[in-house]
């Protein structure tokens, strides 16, 4: 994997019309791929766009860019824990506890929940000041889309063997994303639940707590969802976004 050319792939799909023209966000995805694996990676992203519970993709954009080939850091995946809560109320309370333990203020936690419960068409993440709860990016519903991360193939196979209950692509993708976010200077914690109606397990992650899966962060059938990245007040937001969008990293 070391000296082959690498490509970043980014997919976004919307219903009705393109995102920028007001379409409904259906699905997105990001990969890092060697030239040899490029066709397979494009097909996988296309499949993801075409078969989605949020709706029918009428607009699909797949961007492929060669990535500058320097030493690419390898990040160890965050350790996983699972909270088997039995109601949305208990799940959200658990999430709030974990965020508090990661040093996010009550005001910021409340703001984070307000945003996720009322977002039905968020394509990326919202950045919030972890103390004041103030929004730190100016991206609107586009948000900040973390890109240029992927599992290193061999490590992924080993990791999956060790977690037989978590073999879904969804979990692998979420752990990879959360690991990159936790590695960014300025990240205090992340809160996420899917905008897919059938998937109600979400997570809180942070450099100190790892990746904490929580059953039931929303009711099944709901289209709300998204991601909140809580950051320290001193974070240089332009540098922070640059790292998340542009810096290639392997998870492994
Ligand atoms: N960068 C930033 N935000 C993103 C990205 C990204 N690359 N991908 C998705 N999001 C945001 C965006 O607002 C989506 O609407 C939202 O997250 C949800 O994305 O059982 O499936 O892909 O351990 O629907 C987490 C729990 C599943 C997995 C999350 O999210 C588990 C999930 P989805
Ligand atoms: Mg996803
Ligand atoms: Mg539809
Ligand atoms: Mg989704």
């Amino acid at each position: 994997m070391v000296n082959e050319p690498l490509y970043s792939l980014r997919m976004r799909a919307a219903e009705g019309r393109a995102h920028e023209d007001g379409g409904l966000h259906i699905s997105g995805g990001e990969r890092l791929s060697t030239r040899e694996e490029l066709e397979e990676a494009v097909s996988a992203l296309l499949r993801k766009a075409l078969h989605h519970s949020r709706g029918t993709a009428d607009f699909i954009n797949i961007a492929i860019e060669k990535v500058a080939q320097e030493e690419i850091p390898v990040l160890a995946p965050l350790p996983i824990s699972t909270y088997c809560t039995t109601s949305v109320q208990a799940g959200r309370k658990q999430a709030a506890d974990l965020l508090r333990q990661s040093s996010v203020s009550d005001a910021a936690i409340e703001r984070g929940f307000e945003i996720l419960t009322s977002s039905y068409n968020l394509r990326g993440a919202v950045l919030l000041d972890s103390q004041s709860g103030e929004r730190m990016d100016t991206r609107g519903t586009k948000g900040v889309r973390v890109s240029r991360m992927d599992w290193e193939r061999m490590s992924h196979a080993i990791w999956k063997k060790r977690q037989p209950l978590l073999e879904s692509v969804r979990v692998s993708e979420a752990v990879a994303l959360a690991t990159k976010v936790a590695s960014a200077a300025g990240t205090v914690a992340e809160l996420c639940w899917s905008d897919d109606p059938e998937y109600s397990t979400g997570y809180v992650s942070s450099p100190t707590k790892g990746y904490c899966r929580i059953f039931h962060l929303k009711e099944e059938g709901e289209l709300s969802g998204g991601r909140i990245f809580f950051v320290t007040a001193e974070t240089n937001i332009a540098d922070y976004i640059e790292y998340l969008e542009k810096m290639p990293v392997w998870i492994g």
Side-chain angles (χ1 to χ4, degrees):
M1 109 203 173
V2 179
N3 280 319
E4 293 172 71
L6 261 193
Y7 296 82
S8 154
L9 291 84
R10 290 174 300 144
M11 178 278 288
R12 60 188 171 98
E15 185 171 273
R17 52 190 81 83
H19 297 89
E20 52 272 35
D21 300 326
L24 176 75
H25 176 67
I26 297 296
S27 170
E30 27 282 311
R31 300 284 306 272
L32 275 179
S33 168
T34 58
R35 193 179 177 89
E36 207 182 330
E37 290 163 359
L38 207 46
E39 284 193 33
E40 186 192 320
V42 170
S43 298
L45 286 175
L46 187 58
R47 259 196 314 275
K48 190 179 183 194
L50 288 176
H51 305 282
H52 208 281
S53 60
R54 279 178 61 83
T56 312
D58 302 312
F59 167 91
I60 302 170
N61 179 312
I62 298 180
I64 304 170
E65 298 162 280
K66 192 167 167 185
V67 162
Q69 195 58 33
E70 277 145 52
E71 287 273 299
I72 294 180
V74 182
L75 305 175
L78 291 175
I80 298 178
S81 47
T82 302
Y83 295 81
C84 305
T85 48
T86 53
S87 69
V88 175
Q89 197 191 6
R92 289 186 183 168
K93 185 180 175 301
Q94 184 59 253
D97 286 348
L98 289 162
L99 288 168
R100 227 174 271 120
Q101 289 162 27
S102 305
S103 304
V104 181
S105 77
D106 287 341
I109 293 169
E110 200 176 315
R111 189 73 198 111
F113 275 105
E114 272 169 19
I115 292 171
L116 289 197
T117 51
S118 62
S119 294
Y120 301 90
N121 197 17
L122 185 59
R123 189 175 8 139
V126 169
L127 312 189
L128 293 185
D129 182 314
S130 65
Q131 296 314 300
S132 69
E134 191 192 326
R135 185 158 184 181
M136 303 289 274
D137 67 283
T138 54
R139 293 281 183 86
T141 58
K142 180 175 180 228
V144 175
R145 194 85 201 176
V146 185
S147 302
R148 303 195 176 192
M149 71 293 187
D150 209 334
W151 281 90
E152 192 278 313
R153 196 183 266 264
M154 288 298 290
S155 317
H156 192 209
I158 295 165
W159 180 84
K160 279 194 292 188
K161 266 208 180 113
R162 286 206 197 113
Q163 345 252 355
L165 295 176
L166 300 177
E167 84 276 312
S168 82
V169 173
R170 184 193 296 275
V171 177
S172 288
E173 285 180 354
V175 170
L177 187 154
T179 299
K180 186 176 181 189
V181 172
S183 77
T187 296
V188 175
E190 176 183 351
L191 169 66
C192 163
W193 69 79
S194 180
D195 57 348
D196 304 0
E198 79 286 7
Y199 203 80
S200 57
T201 299
Y203 68 86
V204 166
S205 64
S206 68
T208 52
K209 292 268 155 200
Y211 180 89
C212 306
R213 312 178 64 224
I214 304 166
F215 291 177
H216 309 302
L217 281 185
K218 71 172 185 185
E219 298 293 351
E220 249 167 72
E222 267 186 51
L223 285 169
S224 74
R227 281 178 159 92
I228 308 284
F229 301 162
F230 297 96
V231 300
T232 59
E234 309 81 60
T235 306
N236 178 317
I237 296 300
D239 292 349
Y240 186 77
I241 292 176
E242 171 81 13
Y243 175 80
L244 292 180
E245 290 182 337
K246 297 285 161 59
M247 175 75 175
V249 301
W250 288 115
I251 311 302

